[in-house]
Amino acid sequence: PVTDKSEFSLGSAPECHFVLPERHGIAPRCAYLWLEDDRLFIRASNGIPLPRVELNHQRLAVDEVTELFHGDFLVFGSACCFFVCLENLAVSNSHRLLKLPAWWALGMKERT
């Protein structure tokens, strides 16, 4: 069961809680997610190779703790993309817009 402050790893390593495909910019440990007081947080890890983690078109700095909101757009590596969906939280006042970024149509080479 998920408890407050349970931490979950994301990366290409098979022992991660959320296993991502082995692609350019995806390290064995890319990031960590956790819940705290009904809020979801992410922290990019200090892995080797250095993982590429973006939130709403901004690269996360290593060990930078950032709160995630409904509709946020996460990118791991150069092409592994997710929208944050927080069903159990009130999102009527959310300042996030659910839309694909302009670079979505770019080829893999242009995104890196």
Side-chain angles (χ1 to χ4, degrees):
V2 177
T3 61
D4 212 23
K5 297 187 182 181
S6 292
E7 191 172 74
F8 301 95
S9 57
L10 296 96
S12 61
E15 59 272 6
C16 284
H17 294 95
F18 298 95
V19 179
L20 303 173
E22 291 185 27
R23 302 281 188 269
H24 177 71
I26 297 180
R29 295 258 188 303
C30 279
Y32 295 91
L33 292 171
W34 69 94
L35 286 171
E36 189 173 323
D37 299 323
D38 287 332
R39 296 164 49 203
L40 183 63
F41 293 90
I42 189 168
R43 175 177 50 86
S45 71
N46 189 8
I48 296 178
L50 190 63
R52 182 169 187 86
V53 182
E54 291 181 11
L55 176 63
N56 300 323
H57 316 291
Q58 299 295 317
R59 188 169 186 172
L60 296 181
V62 171
D63 291 330
E64 174 186 356
V65 174
T66 305
E67 184 175 3
L68 297 175
F69 296 95
H70 184 79
D72 278 347
F73 188 66
L74 274 171
V75 180
F76 297 95
S78 58
C80 197
C81 309
F82 299 92
F83 282 108
V84 176
C85 181
L86 302 173
E87 290 182 23
N88 296 331
L89 301 179
V91 294
S92 59
N93 295 325
S94 176
H95 63 285
R96 307 292 181 186
L97 298 174
L98 190 63
K99 63 180 182 178
L100 289 174
W103 66 261
W104 184 259
L106 295 175
M108 179 100 123
K109 196 173 198 176
E110 289 87 4
R111 282 190 235 149
T112 57

